Amino acid sequence: MARGTTAMEVRADGVAVITISNPPVNALSLDVIASLQRNYAEALGRNDVKAIVLTGANGRFCGGFDIAAFGNKPKNEKPGSMSIDFLTDIVEDAHKPSVAAIDGIALGGGLEVAMVCHARISTPSAQLGLPELQLGIIPGMGGTQRLPRLVGLLKALDMMLMSKAIKGREAHKLGLVDAITSANELVNTACSWALGIVENKKPWFKSLHRSDRLPDLAEVKDVLNFARVQAKKKSPNVQHPIVCIDVIEEGIVSGPRAGLMKEALSGKMLEQSQTSKSLRHFFFAQRATSKIPSITNMGLTPRKIKKTAIVGGGLMGSGIATVLILNNFKVVLKEVNEQLLSAGINRIKANLQSFVRKGQLSKEDYEKKFSLLCGVLDYEQFKDTDLVIEAVIEDIFLKQQIFSDLEKHCHHNCIFATNTSTIDLNLIGQKTVSQDRVVGAHFFSPAHVMPLLEIVRTQQTSSQVIVDLLDVAKKIRKTPIVVGNCTGFAVNRVFFPYAQAACFLVDYGLDVYHIDHVITQFGMPMGPFRLADLVGFGVAIATRKQYYQSYPERCYKSMILQILLEDNRTGESSCKGFYIYDDKRKASQDPDLRKYIEKSRNIAGAMQDPKLMKLTDNDIVEMIFFPVVNEACRVLDEQIALKASDLDVASIMGMGFPSYRGGVMFWADSLGAKYVYNRLEAWSKDYGEFFKPCEYLAARAHQGASLAAKVDSAKSRL
Ligand SMILES: C[C@H](O)CC(=O)SCCNC(=O)CCNC(=O)[C@H](O)C(C)(C)COP(=O)(O)OP(=O)(O)OC[C@H]1O[C@@H](n2cnc3c(N)ncnc32)[C@H](O)[C@@H]1OP(=O)(O)O
């Protein structure tokens, strides 16, 4: 079956309107492109056609090249056949003008095709941008050449390197679109404009030949060199931002046709890169998380959540309240006394103000959002809430008490969610009879910033409650992953061996700061020891205990955190942990750390291991992350997570795993299950159970299958 098409209608006034139709975003699939080429050939050949208007069906111009089709392009495709031979030589150089009529979105290839047209008309709210760098590629179809010529070099760099879209109104001010009109008038306005070009009443611009908005060559060099330095600083492990800058430079220095050719050749090379494969995987993986078999395909519609409540105004509770009011939910915040309540409300104010400072919230909106919040000390206001999120400390008895109180004060459809990060939900809901309404809503700290929401269901949680929470996640702009119930759920559980592996290496002779350096070079926002400082040793030790209890056979029990804590080094909050911190929270290495490490090594009875002392940086990365991959395999085997790609999304959005490696499972698959298995197996012989590969991994290694391959034998916990 064809993936989309275009349709052409020739109007009585002589304008051929070509409409791209490929739901849901009118992506340029290979079928759409072939159909567009046929329509153009016909329109240019017909005597009754004076001009062409290009538009998209159902209020969406075009979401760009079909991302799923990258792997399907003909292998021997001539470089530039689309961007030069068709778009430039046929469409832009045609003897009949084309006008793009843009509503909804014009992204990537969508905007590129629009820029080839001789004018663009847009609705004020349409989104225009070249977000290709997010996919590990550069704008193709002439995007690198035409955008700087239409909006100027600085703005074009900002839009491309940051993958930033702009609205129609701003695009008009910048000159990227020629006129703004309503959606109803769009096609008619575009047709009149096209006829205006034919009659010489409107200019016949060819974007590729404009140079009036480009700076002189010396300035171009300066601007691009500065952009290169910034790009290397921001993303040292990827090459495509630098390639993008080089391609832009080629077009300005050697002329746009040379630029187009370099763009085509570089684009082809980047498409095949591991970075692009990883980022494309991440794109689809994010969209797949909310498709839950036997839940989201059962015809259930989400109930309307009007009023929410949070129990506990600490760091997590106030962060969750912030994200809810920011997205227009009414929030009742409950605390146990005036002092804690006002501390919670002040935290929410500070969170909102940080959005105002960044220009993401106007002062007026600040007041509007803040008015959605109501602080309380009892449950009186809970009677008409539709969703309660408990966010108190990790104390099972306290949580049980709160859940039985909720049952007394809330209506019988209210959802009872807990933000616990580790405690078994069955225990939390044990004292209620409403276990079908008990669910985990695990936000990541800071909740108003981190993009992931882990939705935890027990065997009793109703499908309706999951559908409701998925809808809330969408409304508060979080990516949800739905997981089963166990200690640590999916995200924290998968990552518990991360810190333990790092402590193991330190006990056996490696340097804390070297490990953190290697892990940040790999692409994590911070190393495991810097992260432990940030989380705080009190919390880290408490959660570690839960893992020791639940998974004793595969925990590495280092004493280092305990030893530091005993000397009042609690992490960043006390300005002393593995690092020392100045009053601006800047971390520096501490030579004194050595004495604590020595103590930990003595307790562990660990000797400097000559083999470990020879580890390369790559070995260190693998020794820290392969146990994580191993635990992820167990989580999949037990069907705590439904698919490997959910764990990829979770590792990127919850733990900061580099997106350009595709997530922890995709990365492991790029190395091969067999390789991961063999290394873990060898380490487990030398260093014990902590590294022992699980059955799921062993089976895949032996079968030569990928870690993402479906599991048949697993026992579901969902
Ligand atoms: C040659 C060129 O230079 C190369 C390119 O053009 S590369 C592509 C550049 N374009 C992009 O990066 C845009 C990517 N898409 C998006 O940002 C967003 O999907 C959007 C803003 C267009 C729409 O967002 P939203 O309404 O929230 O819908 P969203 O859930 O993201 O997408 C709807 C569906 O369209 C699919 N989709 C979106 N853009 C797509 C694309 N360019 N290709 C293929 N599928 C796409 C999604 O996978 C999703 O599929 P599903 O329903 O089966 O899960």
Side-chain angles (χ1 to χ4, degrees):
M1 203 179 76
R3 277 175 72 101
T5 186
T6 57
M8 186 171 87
E9 187 203 338
V10 179
R11 301 179 3 146
D13 57 7
V15 180
V17 178
I18 301 178
T19 305
I20 305 169
S21 176
N22 187 12
V25 301
N26 296 330
L28 298 171
S29 64
L30 300 179
D31 292 321
V32 167
I33 291 171
S35 173
L36 185 66
Q37 289 174 330
R38 282 194 299 275
N39 285 159
Y40 254 95
E42 186 187 338
L44 295 177
R46 268 170 69 160
N47 291 335
D48 57 339
V49 173
K50 296 185 204 150
I52 297 150
V53 160
L54 187 60
T55 192
N58 302 321
R60 287 182 142 178
F61 181 73
C62 174
F65 187 75
D66 180 356
I67 300 166
F70 275 108
N72 307 339
K73 283 188 181 176
K75 289 237 160 20
N76 50 1
E77 187 189 55
K78 183 180 155 224
S81 60
M82 178 70 181
S83 63
I84 303 176
D85 300 352
F86 175 58
L87 289 173
T88 305
D89 293 350
I90 296 183
V91 180
E92 194 173 41
D93 283 351
H95 57 285
K96 297 178 186 178
S98 294
V99 175
I102 301 168
D103 192 11
I105 44 172
L107 297 173
L111 180 57
E112 285 147 16
V113 170
M115 290 192 292
V116 170
C117 294
H118 304 98
R120 286 150 296 282
I121 315 296
S122 156
T123 57
S125 60
Q127 305 237 27
L128 298 92
L130 297 183
E132 283 94 335
L133 265 71
Q134 273 178 358
L135 300 168
I137 51 171
I138 57 172
M141 301 190 193
T144 56
Q145 306 304 307
R146 291 188 178 87
L147 191 64
R149 289 178 158 76
L150 285 168
V151 300
L153 183 59
L154 279 177
K155 185 71 195 175
L157 278 172
D158 184 42
M159 287 174 70
M160 286 190 255
L161 297 179
M162 308 303 286
S163 292
K164 221 190 253 172
I166 55 172
K167 292 260 171 81
R169 204 174 289 286
E170 186 186 350
H172 185 216
K173 278 196 202 131
L174 289 167
L176 180 56
V177 305
D178 299 86
I180 290 284
T181 186
S182 68
N184 286 343
E185 292 300 313
L186 186 62
V187 171
N188 280 339
T189 310
C191 289
S192 310
W193 198 285
L195 291 172
I197 298 178
V198 175
E199 290 155 14
N200 292 324
K201 291 181 190 147
K202 297 280 184 202
W204 189 319
F205 279 127
K206 293 184 184 178
S207 312
L208 198 63
H209 299 295
R210 292 188 70 160
S211 55
D212 51 313
R213 289 182 180 150
L214 293 176
D216 63 47
L217 274 188
E219 198 183 329
V220 167
K221 293 261 179 203
D222 284 349
V223 167
L224 294 181
N225 283 339
F226 181 73
R228 278 188 188 97
V229 173
Q230 296 297 105
K232 277 191 189 141
K233 213 156 117 192
K234 186 170 162 241
S235 323
N237 289 344
V238 295
Q239 57 167 343
H240 59 288
I242 301 293
V243 173
C244 181
I245 297 168
D246 292 347
V247 168
I248 295 171
E249 184 169 45
E250 176 75 4
I252 300 177
V253 173
S254 312
R257 269 192 105 78
L260 283 178
M261 188 43 85
K262 191 173 171 86
E263 180 194 87
L265 293 169
S266 309
K268 201 167 174 164
M269 179 264 297
L270 289 171
E271 263 170 56
Q272 282 147 20
S273 68
Q274 190 58 28
T275 299
S276 177
K277 285 181 191 154
S278 303
L279 286 168
R280 273 148 38 202
H281 165 75
F282 179 46
F283 175 85
F284 288 116
Q286 284 175 82
R287 283 151 182 87
T289 62
S290 48
K291 297 182 178 105
I292 321 291
S294 309
I295 301 261
T296 49
N297 53 354
M298 302 304 281
L300 290 169
T301 47
R303 291 173 293 184
K304 198 161 171 54
I305 308 276
K306 290 192 206 114
K307 188 171 169 187
T308 66
I310 313 281
V311 183
L315 206 63
M316 287 311 290
S318 52
I320 299 168
T322 307
V323 74
L324 285 169
I325 57 177
L326 270 174
N327 292 288
N328 304 319
F329 285 95
K330 279 189 188 162
V331 175
V332 176
L333 180 73
K334 181 181 177 304
E335 256 302 351
V336 286
N337 61 41
E338 286 290 356
Q339 205 187 353
L340 288 175
L341 182 61
S342 75
I345 292 177
N346 284 338
R347 261 191 287 270
I348 297 169
K349 273 188 191 162
N351 291 343
L352 289 178
Q353 273 154 4
S354 74
F355 286 99
V356 175
R357 267 198 308 279
K358 286 183 215 141
Q360 292 163 346
L361 189 71
S362 70
K363 288 208 168 111
E364 265 169 34
D365 277 347
Y366 169 92
E367 296 300 337
K368 263 194 222 150
K369 306 285 179 191
F370 190 64
S371 71
L372 296 170
L373 180 71
C374 166
V376 299
L377 296 175
D378 57 34
Y379 286 110
E380 177 60 28
Q381 292 243 20
F382 278 53
K383 56 181 181 290
D384 56 347
T385 53
D386 306 303
L387 164 68
V388 181
I389 303 175
E390 165 276 305
V392 302
I393 52 165
E394 295 285 63
D395 174 334
I396 298 181
F397 301 109
L398 176 62
K399 286 179 194 277
Q400 285 180 337
Q401 180 59 50
I402 290 169
F403 272 63
S404 76
D405 288 344
L406 292 177
E407 201 166 41
K408 285 184 212 126
H409 292 94
C410 301
H411 66 72
H412 65 280
N413 275 331
C414 178
I415 299 167
F416 300 152
T418 169
N419 178 53
T420 182
S421 59
T422 28
I423 304 175
D424 187 330
L425 259 64
N426 289 321
L427 282 176
I428 295 176
Q430 207 174 44
K431 298 205 169 140
T432 68
V433 289
S434 315
Q435 289 178 11
D436 57 327
R437 296 191 269 148
V438 173
V439 66
H442 177 210
F443 290 78
F444 291 75
S445 182
H448 56 292
V449 177
M450 294 293 280
L452 188 70
L453 174 62
E454 191 176 32
I455 300 177
V456 188
R457 54 176 165 161
T458 68
Q459 291 193 326
Q460 285 80 35
T461 310
S462 77
S463 301
Q464 181 64 56
V465 164
I466 301 297
V467 168
D468 295 343
L469 267 198
L470 284 170
D471 189 51
V472 172
K474 194 172 178 189
K475 291 193 169 124
I476 62 175
R477 289 173 247 197
K478 302 276 180 210
T479 299
I481 62 160
V482 177
V483 303
N485 185 27
C486 66
T487 301
F489 314 128
V491 186
N492 286 347
R493 176 173 159 187
V494 163
F495 269 83
F496 88 77
Y498 175 66
Q500 293 188 7
C503 288
F504 162 84
L505 289 176
V506 167
D507 277 351
Y508 281 79
L510 271 77
D511 178 58
V512 161
Y513 304 120
H514 179 60
I515 292 176
D516 269 5
H517 173 74
V518 169
I519 296 297
T520 44
Q521 293 285 99
F522 174 74
M524 295 295 282
M526 59 185 81
F529 297 105
R530 179 68 186 82
L531 180 66
D533 275 2
L534 186 72
V535 171
F537 299 165
V539 175
I541 289 171
T543 46
R544 213 172 54 173
K545 270 192 198 139
Q546 307 257 357
Y547 297 118
Y548 289 175
Q549 273 168 20
S550 302
Y551 318 116
E553 75 293 350
R554 54 179 190 272
C555 282
Y556 178 75
K557 296 179 184 164
S558 165
M559 286 305 289
I560 183 67
L561 292 187
Q562 198 69 47
I563 292 167
L564 288 164
L565 196 66
E566 275 160 17
D567 209 13
N568 292 325
R569 298 180 73 121
T570 62
E572 193 180 311
S573 60
S574 65
C575 294
K576 268 187 180 174
F578 287 102
Y579 294 78
I580 43 179
Y581 297 85
D582 64 15
D583 48 7
K584 292 195 180 97
R585 305 238 146 162
K586 189 172 174 308
S588 348
Q589 300 187 1
D590 181 5
D592 265 3
L593 190 67
R594 206 170 300 140
K595 67 178 189 224
Y596 303 99
I597 306 271
E598 283 310 320
K599 208 168 163 189
S600 175
R601 282 177 186 159
N602 286 338
I603 296 173
M607 310 283 284
Q608 268 202 1
D609 183 306
K611 267 201 237 163
L612 293 179
M613 296 315 290
K614 282 194 224 128
L615 292 183
T616 62
D617 289 359
N618 190 51
D619 292 331
I620 294 175
V621 165
E622 294 183 354
M623 263 188 125
I624 288 182
F625 278 110
F626 284 1
V628 171
V629 172
N630 202 18
E631 195 59 32
C633 287
R634 290 191 177 94
V635 160
L636 275 178
D637 199 20
E638 294 168 28
Q639 294 197 6
I640 295 296
L642 284 171
K643 42 193 184 306
S645 64
D646 283 356
L647 296 176
D648 287 328
V649 172
S651 64
I652 293 169
M653 294 184 141
M655 304 305 295
F657 194 85
S659 56
Y660 54 80
R661 298 190 193 276
V664 72
M665 296 303 266
F666 190 83
W667 170 71
D669 264 333
S670 74
L671 301 171
K674 193 163 183 178
Y675 175 75
V676 177
Y677 172 84
N678 286 342
R679 291 223 81 180
L680 282 168
E681 180 67 8
W683 295 327
S684 75
K685 283 192 182 126
D686 287 343
Y687 308 111
E689 288 279 291
F690 177 74
F691 292 103
K692 193 167 173 30
C694 67
E695 277 173 33
Y696 180 105
L697 176 56
R700 267 139 195 83
H702 295 140
Q703 287 160 19
S706 86
L707 298 178
K710 267 263 166 266
V711 199
D712 297 326
S713 59
K715 296 165 224 76
S716 174
R717 289 233 208 147
L718 296 177

